[in-house]
Structures are given as C-alpha cells and as structure tokens.
Amino acid sequence: MSEPAKPVAAAGAVKTAGRSGRGTELPEHLKAYRGVWVFVEHDRGHVHPVSWELMGEARKLADKLGVDVAGVLLGGPDEPLHGYAKEAYAYGANRCYIVRDPVLKGYRNEPFTKGLTDLVNQHQPEIMLLGATTMGRDLAGSVATTLGTGLTADCTELNIDGRALAATRPTFGGSLLCTIMTLAYRPQMATVRPRVMSMPRRDDTRSGDIVEMALGMVETDIVTKLLDFIPDATRNSVNLAYADIIVGGGKGLKNADNFQLVWELAKVLGAEVGATRAVVQAGWTEAERQVGQTGKTVRPKLYIAAGISGAIQHRVGMESSDVIVAINTDPNAPIFDFAHHGIVGNAMQVLPVLTQAFRTHLDKRIRKAA
C-alpha cells in the first residue's frame, strides 16, 4: 500500500516571519533576516522620547551585529513622517520605512498591526524594538502574535549573544532578573520602558534612505473607529520619568505622617516625590509616584532614597540615576550596594536636617545672586 501524499508548498511561496517548529536552532529561511528596527511612536505632532532612547540602543546592538538600524513610521497623509525620519537619522538610523495611509491617522491596533507585519515580512529584520508605552505594549503584543514570534516585555537591558538578542527583565514579582533569548524565531521582539535607556547624542549631519510602502487597507476593513480625541484636563501632572531631582520614600519611614518629610525636602529642592510599591499600597501617596518595575522608570540627576531597602523591584526603576544618595538605618541594606553616597541613620532624623541645610544653602545663593 502506498503512503498518503504529503502536502507540498506551492512553488515560489513566500515564508513569513515567525515559528518554524519547536527547538533552539534557527531555521534556514530565517537566517536571512538582518537589521535592527525601532518603531517610532508619534502622536499629535510629537515623537515619544522613548523612540530616540531605543534608537541609541539599537545602534549599539546593530554595531555588534554588523548590520543597519532602521526606524519604522506609520501615519496619515498630512503627518510629517519625513521630518521624523530626519530625526531618526540624527539619533542613529541608517534608513526609515514609511507607511502612509488615511487609516493610519491616529493609532488603531488593526491597521498598525497590518502595516508593521507587512513591513517585517517583506524586509525581514532580525530585531524589533518598541517602547513599553500604552501604544507600544498594545502594538507589540498583536504584532508578535500575528508573526508567531517571541516578545520580551519591559526589558531593563539588551545585549547580543552570538546573533541572539539577550533581553533582561525582572521576574517573580521583581525578585529576580532573567535573560530571555528568542533562538528559533524572527524577528526577536522586545519592549523597553521610557527612561530605561539613556538618550543618545544627536548628530544632525547624519542622513539615510527612505523606503515607502502602501498599506492596502480601507476604512471599511477596520472594526474600530476613531471618532475624536478628548484630552484629560484633570490628568495628574506628576512627571517622574523626566524629573532632574527625585526624593523617594519607603516603608522605613514607618507612617504617612513621616512621609511628609519627603515632601518637605522635595519642595526645597524643586524635586518630584517618588515612592516604593509598599508605600503606594499603604496609601501614603498616589500610584503615579511609584518607582520600580510595576511603576515608573526614572533617570534623574539626583535620587535621594529615604527609608528604602533597595529590593530589585525598586532598584530596576532608579539605578540609572546619575547620583543616588541612600538613607537607611541598616548598614547592610541592599541599596548601599549601588548607591553613590550612603547615610546610615534614621531617615526621620536625617531628612529634616537635610531640608534645613539645603534651604540655608539655596538662600545664600539667592542672596549672593541678588
């Protein structure tokens, strides 16, 4: 008895990105994938700074791989995508892929997913990075699912191991750091939160290529409709991610009344107030002020940590600060392992002294300037 015929792929069929069975070996048809891409997120005339932070990181990864960096821009007919492309070159891109269509005016998951997956299948990048913003998280998940590839979310570090992207992120509630590699699938995808990576130096003398592609989608193909944009006039004005000085407080302050000492020092310094997850959960301050893996990632010039032990969950959100000053009664607290300056003492006693010292110093400077 003859064996049943096995299905044969049609001649000239194009294999798309994504899975090719289980295993750790990269299939032959995916070895042709080359280049590092960054999705350039823009909204109402402004590019999100995380896109340029990722462009700088992409440049480092691409240099290790010996490949080019590309920015990906999707938008409507009247949006200045070519202007954004010039900025992308200044931050490290060699070329930009542009998809321009009326249905791409304003973010919607369905047309953006189609535009990005079509670009990937046609031009075959090996790595794609997106910001872990509201838009980036929504888009990254659907693109990775459509392509059948891996996605590592909220990464704190990116590196190259062989030709694999080594993406590091906290796990087990922030108690451990793990490195994840997508060995057998392409593209390798990762999201990174704003301020995790440093802003690269801008070089306006750089230029690059532009590749444009049509979307091939009409409004009637899309389930969701964008009716209007209504800004939230009551939105909290906390801007931790881009603050130059942050005074952070932890449960070592014992209670909400003592946490007011953090506010007093922040007021004198013109700083923002940050907090650990435990402080937010205790209701001492609002969730928008939480620093850490499940809160904001910050990169201030000065971070003063009062009564904060320095657990990994908090550390990954603030360890890139230029200068970290830690105040803790426990000389063996983990925060002293990475703080630049440490004060072993009771934060409830140290904070008022610091506040008065800064106030006196700043008053002298003001009088001298006058």
Side-chain angles (χ1 to χ4, degrees), residues 81-91 96 202 204 206:
L81 303 185
H82 282 77
Y84 300 153
K86 289 182 180 178
E87 286 191 83
Y89 304 145
Y91 286 113
C96 282
R202 182 179 176 124
D204 288 310
R206 299 186 80 259

Side-chain angles (χ1 to χ4, degrees), residues 9 12 42 112 143 202 316:
H42 61 94
F112 271 68
V143 169
R202 182 179 176 124
V316 298

Side-chain angles (χ1 to χ4, degrees), residues 45-58:
H46 299 282
V47 174
H48 197 298
V50 72
S51 300
W52 306 143
E53 294 164 6
L54 288 178
M55 198 66 73
E57 195 65 18

Side-chain angles (χ1 to χ4, degrees), residues 245-249 253 256-274 289 304 306 347-360 362:
I245 304 174
I246 296 174
V247 183
L253 292 170
D257 289 340
N258 290 333
F259 193 79
Q260 291 302 310
L261 298 172
V262 171
W263 283 97
E264 291 170 13
L265 178 55
K267 183 178 180 181
V268 169
L269 294 175
E272 281 281 11
V273 170
R289 297 193 178 278
I304 299 175
M348 282 84 80
Q349 297 173 346
V350 175
L351 283 175
V353 174
L354 276 181
T355 301
Q356 184 56 48
F358 278 120
R359 182 182 290 118
T360 301
L362 291 172

Side-chain angles (χ1 to χ4, degrees), residues 92-113:
N94 300 104
R95 72 177 53 85
C96 282
Y97 295 97
I98 291 179
V99 183
R100 193 188 292 274
D101 194 279
V103 302
L104 294 171
K105 179 67 179 293
Y107 176 73
R108 286 181 289 176
N109 180 274
E110 197 173 352
F112 271 68
T113 296

Side-chain angles (χ1 to χ4, degrees), residues 43-293:
D43 187 40
R44 271 163 279 279
H46 299 282
V47 174
H48 197 298
V50 72
S51 300
W52 306 143
E53 294 164 6
L54 288 178
M55 198 66 73
E57 195 65 18
R59 185 70 268 164
K60 297 175 189 176
L61 298 175
D63 288 345
K64 292 178 181 178
L65 291 167
V67 297
D68 288 342
V69 174
V72 180
L73 288 151
L74 285 69
D78 59 344
E79 295 188 280
L81 303 185
H82 282 77
Y84 300 153
K86 289 182 180 178
E87 286 191 83
Y89 304 145
Y91 286 113
N94 300 104
R95 72 177 53 85
C96 282
Y97 295 97
I98 291 179
V99 183
R100 193 188 292 274
D101 194 279
V103 302
L104 294 171
K105 179 67 179 293
Y107 176 73
R108 286 181 289 176
N109 180 274
E110 197 173 352
F112 271 68
T113 296
K114 183 182 187 307
L116 198 47
T117 54
D118 285 353
L119 279 171
V120 167
N121 284 326
Q122 183 170 339
H123 297 285
Q124 303 182 336
E126 56 192 308
I127 295 173
M128 184 157 59
L129 308 178
L130 300 90
T133 59
T134 302
M135 183 191 301
R137 284 175 169 144
D138 182 65
L139 181 60
S142 60
V143 169
T145 301
T146 303
L147 295 173
T149 190
L151 168 64
T152 307
D154 285 354
C155 300
T156 57
E157 184 180 349
L158 300 174
N159 214 327
I160 298 297
D161 186 343
R163 282 209 83 83
L165 176 67
T168 301
R169 74 177 310 277
T171 188
F172 291 109
S175 60
L176 293 174
L177 292 172
C178 66
T179 298
I180 299 170
M181 290 187 282
T182 304
L183 297 175
Y185 314 115
R186 292 294 183 271
Q188 305 160 92
M189 293 181 62
T191 63
V192 181
R193 292 194 298 176
R195 300 297 278 169
V196 168
M197 305 302 179
S198 59
M199 182 69 75
R201 182 171 297 178
R202 182 179 176 124
D203 180 1
D204 288 310
T205 65
R206 299 186 80 259
S207 61
D209 306 324
I210 286 182
V211 178
E212 300 205 34
M213 190 183 82
L215 181 65
M217 198 174 197
V218 295
E219 185 61 44
T220 53
D221 294 334
I222 306 168
V223 175
T224 56
K225 307 300 176 188
L226 184 59
L227 301 179
D228 196 6
F229 172 75
I230 303 173
D232 184 1
T234 63
R235 182 176 61 87
N236 195 296
S237 61
V238 176
N239 190 22
L240 274 181
Y242 293 93
D244 284 336
I245 304 174
I246 296 174
V247 183
K251 281 303 287 288
L253 292 170
K254 306 300 183 184
N255 57 54
D257 289 340
N258 290 333
F259 193 79
Q260 291 302 310
L261 298 172
V262 171
W263 283 97
E264 291 170 13
L265 178 55
K267 183 178 180 181
V268 169
L269 294 175
E272 281 281 11
V273 170
T276 62
R277 179 170 60 182
V279 164
V280 170
Q281 290 176 339
W284 298 358
T285 191
E286 61 266 49
E288 288 82 358
R289 297 193 178 278
Q290 182 178 328
V291 175
Q293 177 60 20

